[in-house]
Amino acid sequence: MGTNKATSVDGNKTLHAFFKGAVVPMDEAKVSVMTHALHYGTAVFEGIRGNWNEEKGKMYIFRMREHYERLIRGCKILMLDIPYTAEQLCDTTVDLIMTNGHDSDIYIRPLAYKSAEVVANLKLQDLDSDFTLITVPFGNYLGTDILRCCTSSWRRVDDNMIPTQIKSAGIYVNSLLAKTEATLAGFDEAIILNQDGHVSEGSGENVFMVSGGKLHTPRIEDNALPGITRDTVIQLAQDELGMDVVERSIDRSELYLCDEVFLSGTAAHLTPVVSLDSRDIGTGEPGPVSLELQKMYFEIVAGRNPKYLHWCTEVTPVSIPA
Ligand code: PMP
């Protein structure tokens, strides 16, 4: 089903993982059923993309450092004590990509987790932590270029329930419920409101709206994840399109009546939303601002725009003979 399934093989190559401090074949990277994170979702993770540039024969990892900085912020909140700096995590990632010898787009999934094999303990301070990392081939996550969305009946958790500015594993039950509900009802993605009824985000994406010639996006205080793609879009809209970007609370009906809506996220890239709750947004076609930003974004993430190369880490993968 769909094209969004990441697998543990790349063509004929067996992939390797970074696990318990060493690079091992994926089959050997296994945890016990007693693992705390498996029972309680006590983990934080990141989703980072490596974009394959065929002409250059190189992989471009987009804003890797910022992803690891967010992971480390999550580790602090969940008391996940891992012995690596953001810089070391970046180096480990580059090494693993080289080992795996990918030559197509990949998803990079670091996970810091409570590795203690103890199940009846709810004290974060008592539990050992570990870090693991996988890199897998990855295509179009959403499986479509335009999105028909619905407003979810699930509300986004509030920051004082589970912190919303970090990617903790447990919080994704909220996203999964919303995405499952939307797709079973025939929509592509869910727009999730917060407890106050304001637009918060998608199940794995931030939301943007074009209205009155400005770009609007929910405030982080409306429990949206501070997305790295969100930050990228804000900078590009301001610096390249000269647009005003307004971070504010947005009501559901504003989305019905605006000119354009799009979602942004590492997996989702920048994808236009053409309808919400079966009402066309704008003309019902992707709008000019969405398409312009999307075009710029795709050039930048694949290392094709020299001005933004500082956002990319260039890797030349070399496959290790089996
Ligand atoms: N919100 C949620 C809930 C997400 O899972 C993601 C994906 N990480 C985003 C927003 C977008 O964040 P980013 O642009 O950093 O991938």
Side-chain angles (χ1 to χ4, degrees):
M1 260 180 70
T3 52
N4 57 354
K5 228 158 84 182
T7 60
S8 62
V9 289
D10 189 356
N12 303 327
K13 289 174 289 209
T14 300
L15 295 178
H16 285 65
F18 181 83
F19 182 66
K20 294 193 189 299
V23 173
V24 298
M26 197 79 89
D27 288 355
E28 292 171 26
K30 299 257 159 74
V31 295
S32 158
V33 291
M34 292 280 289
T35 305
H36 196 272
L38 188 60
H39 294 254
Y40 298 110
T42 42
V44 293
F45 68 93
E46 272 304 321
I48 312 172
R49 265 192 190 261
N51 302 291
W52 180 247
N53 182 319
E54 186 65 40
E55 308 91 81
K56 295 195 183 159
K58 291 183 197 298
M59 186 75 77
Y60 289 87
I61 314 173
F62 190 61
R63 302 192 71 176
M64 175 163 57
R65 200 189 167 86
E66 289 91 328
H67 280 281
Y68 280 122
E69 284 166 356
R70 186 169 63 190
L71 183 97
I72 286 171
R73 291 199 294 275
C75 288
K76 179 170 183 181
I77 293 181
L78 285 196
M79 296 186 174
L80 286 153
D81 200 10
I82 59 164
Y84 309 108
T85 60
E87 201 171 325
Q88 287 168 325
L89 293 170
C90 290
D91 291 346
T92 302
T93 306
V94 170
D95 289 349
L96 186 63
I97 291 171
M98 308 256 289
T99 300
N100 280 333
H102 298 286
D103 53 9
S104 61
D105 292 344
I106 57 165
Y107 195 59
I108 301 162
R109 167 53 59 81
L111 179 80
Y113 63 106
K114 287 293 185 190
S115 56
E117 295 180 16
V118 178
V119 289
N121 189 331
L122 298 185
K123 290 178 281 186
L124 288 171
Q125 71 273 25
D126 278 3
L127 300 159
D128 286 344
S129 309
D130 211 336
F131 171 81
T132 187
L133 171 68
I134 54 175
T135 64
V136 288
F138 196 54
N140 182 338
Y141 164 70
L142 292 167
T144 168
D145 296 333
I146 51 166
L147 296 168
R148 298 180 196 286
C149 295
C150 64
T151 306
S152 183
S153 71
W154 297 95
R155 292 292 174 101
R156 170 78 170 160
V157 294
D158 202 85
D159 184 72
N160 59 22
M161 299 170 182
I162 302 176
T164 49
Q165 296 203 28
I166 61 168
K167 285 173 74 73
S168 66
I171 201 174
Y172 277 83
V173 170
N174 186 235
S175 291
L176 285 155
L177 288 168
K179 177 83 177 188
T180 303
E181 177 188 57
T183 51
L184 287 179
F187 296 97
D188 301 309
E189 186 53 275
I191 301 291
I192 311 175
L193 309 180
N194 65 13
Q195 289 296 99
D196 299 333
H198 294 125
V199 176
S200 182
E201 55 177 16
S203 67
E205 307 87 12
N206 292 110
V207 181
F208 283 89
M209 161 178 109
V210 179
S211 180
K214 294 183 183 168
L215 191 61
H216 305 251
T217 193
R219 304 174 311 146
I220 296 303
E221 293 81 358
D222 283 328
N223 299 319
L225 184 79
I228 289 154
T229 321
R230 176 184 184 275
D231 179 71
T232 303
V233 167
I234 290 174
Q235 289 194 48
L236 294 178
Q238 287 171 335
D239 299 349
E240 301 295 335
L241 303 185
M243 286 183 84
D244 284 339
V245 181
V246 191
E247 297 180 55
R248 64 169 177 89
S249 292
I250 296 176
D251 288 325
R252 169 185 187 164
S253 56
E254 290 188 78
L255 296 185
Y256 293 153
L257 298 174
C258 70
D259 299 322
E260 299 180 35
V261 173
F262 63 85
L263 301 185
S264 73
T266 298
H269 296 303
L270 195 162
T271 306
V273 177
V274 295
S275 76
L276 177 62
D277 300 332
S278 307
R279 286 138 178 104
D280 281 352
I281 292 171
T283 60
E285 302 281 336
V289 176
S290 311
L291 292 176
E292 186 66 30
L293 285 166
Q294 185 189 51
K295 193 166 147 228
M296 259 190 282
Y297 170 82
F298 277 130
E299 292 290 299
I300 289 168
V301 297
R304 293 198 186 93
N305 184 334
K307 185 172 168 192
Y308 291 99
L309 260 184
H310 60 280
W311 273 341
C312 299
T313 306
E314 195 180 88
V315 186
T316 310
V318 280
S319 201
I320 293 183

